[in-house]
């Protein structure tokens, strides 16, 4: 069983809510990490509550060299890379520039929401399996019968991580399990989407963020991804 653990689960292990043994004791489970874990760690540089070395050691304890990478718009694949090696590769000025760009917001989603002219309250009781289908139907009504994925393919969000990020933003713009708006919320949603993107090739994605779980389930259902999305407590009961 291939298991991808979200960054918030690592934090919970560090504060003692769970132990490494809780996870390594799961029969048949193999754990994987991605550059999203590394970039979130790099963003916390200078935070006295986050040990860069300690987090890398924790990732190594759980995942070893089990890394998920992607090249361009190709599907993610499993590689062997030490966490410290990925840390060195990701530690560059471009990472901060990308985060700054994302944090300015993306006009595409506000523009699309304006075109769709939907009342976000219609999503309040929707299931994750239905929310993007509902948005898709609205797109067809408003954009001359063009479906959502066709529309997105005509933008920069035509595949890979950008597609996941676009869908996460679109769901959030519909105020479906919307994130609390802060100076960091757009970057945080980028990380959530990236974790979901990498986890698509695993059997299980474990995250304790209920908003991320709902958005990820919606995206996975829409894209026919079979990865099971659970909280830590649900996972440890499997």
């Amino acid at each position: 069983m291939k298991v991808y653990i979200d960054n918030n689960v690592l934090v919970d292990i560090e504060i003692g809510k769970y132990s490494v043994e809780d996870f390594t004791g799961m029969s048949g489970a193999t754990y994987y990490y991605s550059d999203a874990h590394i970039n979130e760690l790099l963003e916390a540089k200078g935070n006295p509550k986050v040990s860069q070395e300690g987090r890398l050691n924790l990732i190594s304890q759980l995942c070893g060299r089990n890394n998920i990478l992607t090249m361009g718009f190709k599907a993610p694949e499993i590689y062997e890379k030490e966490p410290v090696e990925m840390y060195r590769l990701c530690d560059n000025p471009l990472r901060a520039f990308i985060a700054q760009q994302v944090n300015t917001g993306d006009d595409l989603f506000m523009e699309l929401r304006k075109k769709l002219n939907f009342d976000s309250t219609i999503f309040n009781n929707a299931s994750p399996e239905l929310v993007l289908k509902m948005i898709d139907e609205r797109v067809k009504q408003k954009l001359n019968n063009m479906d959502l994925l066709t529309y997105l393919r005509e933008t920069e969000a035509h595949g890979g991580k950008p597609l996941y990020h676009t869908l996460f933003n679109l769901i959030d713009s519909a105020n479906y399990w919307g994130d609390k708006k802060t100076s960091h919320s757009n970057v945080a949603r980028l990380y959530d989407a990236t974790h979901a993107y990498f986890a698509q090739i695993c059997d299980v994605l474990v995250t304790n963020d209920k908003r991320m779980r709902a958005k990820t389930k919606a995206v996975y259902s829409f894209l026919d991804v079979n990865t099971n999305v659970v909280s830590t407590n649900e996972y440890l009961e499997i």
Side-chain angles (χ1 to χ4, degrees):
M1 178 171 62
K2 297 190 291 293
V3 183
Y4 187 101
I5 296 180
D6 189 20
N7 199 63
N8 54 52
V9 179
L10 298 178
V11 174
D12 281 343
I13 294 173
E14 288 173 340
I15 65 176
K17 189 172 180 179
Y18 304 100
S19 69
V20 171
E21 290 72 27
D22 288 333
F23 292 86
T24 57
M26 295 290 288
S27 178
T30 304
Y31 298 99
Y32 294 82
Y33 79 99
S34 72
D35 61 19
H37 294 96
I38 305 302
N39 282 321
E40 286 199 79
L41 176 58
L42 284 164
E43 190 181 342
K45 264 187 175 182
N47 183 343
K49 296 181 179 179
V50 180
S51 166
Q52 302 283 301
E53 183 180 356
R55 179 71 59 78
L56 288 172
N57 286 337
L58 175 56
I59 295 172
S60 185
Q61 275 185 277
L62 285 171
C63 305
R65 294 170 53 85
N66 298 328
N67 177 239
I68 302 176
L69 281 175
T70 188
M71 301 297 177
F73 294 109
K74 294 181 180 179
E77 298 179 37
I78 294 170
Y79 292 83
E80 288 191 359
K81 281 192 177 292
E82 294 286 352
V84 68
E85 181 183 359
M86 283 302 300
Y87 186 89
R88 295 192 189 103
L89 289 171
C90 292
D91 191 10
N92 62 73
L94 182 60
R95 179 191 61 82
F97 176 70
I98 292 171
Q100 183 179 9
Q101 278 190 316
V102 171
N103 210 28
T104 63
D106 194 330
D107 291 338
L108 169 65
F109 309 105
M110 294 307 295
E111 180 184 340
L112 180 56
R113 183 177 181 180
K114 185 177 180 180
K115 286 181 180 179
L116 298 181
N117 191 30
F118 54 64
D119 177 1
S120 62
T121 61
I122 67 173
F123 301 104
N124 288 351
N125 298 312
S127 68
E129 293 76 21
L130 290 179
V131 60
L132 277 168
K133 291 180 181 178
M134 293 169 68
I135 294 175
D136 191 32
E137 286 302 314
R138 194 67 172 177
V139 169
K140 291 174 184 176
Q141 292 172 16
K142 293 291 183 177
L143 302 180
N144 298 319
N145 212 35
M146 180 186 294
D147 63 78
L148 177 57
L149 287 179
T150 299
Y151 175 84
L152 294 179
R153 288 191 187 103
E154 294 184 356
T155 72
E156 293 181 358
H158 55 275
K161 285 184 282 187
L163 174 60
Y164 271 67
H165 186 213
T166 302
L167 292 175
F168 265 69
N169 272 333
L170 182 57
I171 293 168
D172 191 76
S173 76
N175 203 30
Y176 180 77
W177 286 94
D179 299 321
K180 183 178 179 181
K181 304 306 178 188
T182 69
S183 62
H184 187 259
S185 58
N186 288 333
V187 173
R189 192 161 53 255
L190 169 64
Y191 285 135
D192 288 348
T194 305
H195 284 301
Y197 168 75
F198 284 119
Q200 68 177 292
I201 64 171
C202 290
D203 300 299
V204 182
L205 164 60
V206 185
T207 175
N208 289 329
D209 183 338
K210 63 183 180 181
R211 287 183 172 85
M212 179 187 172
R213 285 201 302 272
K215 289 187 179 76
T216 303
K217 288 177 181 179
V219 171
Y220 281 174
S221 178
F222 190 63
L223 298 178
D224 295 322
V225 174
N226 294 321
T227 304
N228 192 19
V229 183
V230 297
S231 68
T232 297
N233 289 340
E234 290 171 328
Y235 170 69
L236 295 177
E237 291 174 1
I238 292 176

